[in-house]
Amino acid sequence: MYNHACSPGCIIQCSNTWHRPDGKEHTSCVEYESDWALGANCGIDDLDDIAEMIQLCNAWGLDTIETGATIGVVMEAGVIPFGDAKGAIRLIKNEMAKGTPMGRILAAAPDLPARPLG
């Protein structure tokens, strides 16, 4: 991960770029809220998978915190297992991003899918 200042004089330098194992840029920026929502909240600890989900959310205009909360609801309901990073990526890529009926429900907000899923 490469951290840099978002503006001159910033001493925290939380703006960052996450790179793939081959050195190419994967996503920017992995913010702590996104890392928590798509990571610890869902039992996912692989930063490459979290970076992929952040990149997908950024590409499709999905809020990373709400998406992470929604995936947590889906995991709690047993649709995919807790900690299933590849399943979470598939939900974002194949359902939410494509606007399938399930994807539209998931992309609406965490409370909407929670109702029918219990």
Side-chain angles (χ1 to χ4, degrees):
M1 184 179 310
Y2 167 71
N3 286 23
H4 54 280
C6 59
S7 63
C10 175
I11 60 168
I12 298 174
Q13 297 188 4
C14 62
S15 186
N16 59 63
T17 303
W18 184 260
H19 293 88
R20 296 179 188 276
D22 65 6
K24 293 181 183 175
E25 182 178 320
H26 195 155
T27 194
S28 179
C29 131
V30 178
E31 298 168 322
Y32 67 90
E33 302 94 342
S34 302
D35 187 25
W36 169 81
L38 295 163
N41 181 57
C42 298
I44 297 170
D45 61 1
D46 186 312
L47 286 171
D48 290 318
D49 288 332
I50 294 167
E52 179 66 15
M53 289 185 276
I54 292 168
Q55 181 60 32
L56 290 169
C57 287
N58 290 345
W60 293 102
L62 299 168
D63 182 84
T64 56
I65 299 168
E66 285 194 5
T67 300
T70 299
I71 291 171
V73 166
V74 169
M75 289 176 166
E76 180 70 22
V79 175
I80 60 173
F82 188 70
D84 182 1
K86 301 304 184 208
I89 290 169
R90 279 192 305 275
L91 282 177
I92 297 169
K93 192 185 267 185
N94 297 336
E95 302 291 341
M96 298 170 85
K98 291 183 178 178
T100 66
M102 169 72 117
R104 289 195 304 269
I105 292 169
L106 295 176
D111 61 329
L112 186 61
R115 293 179 199 150
L117 294 174

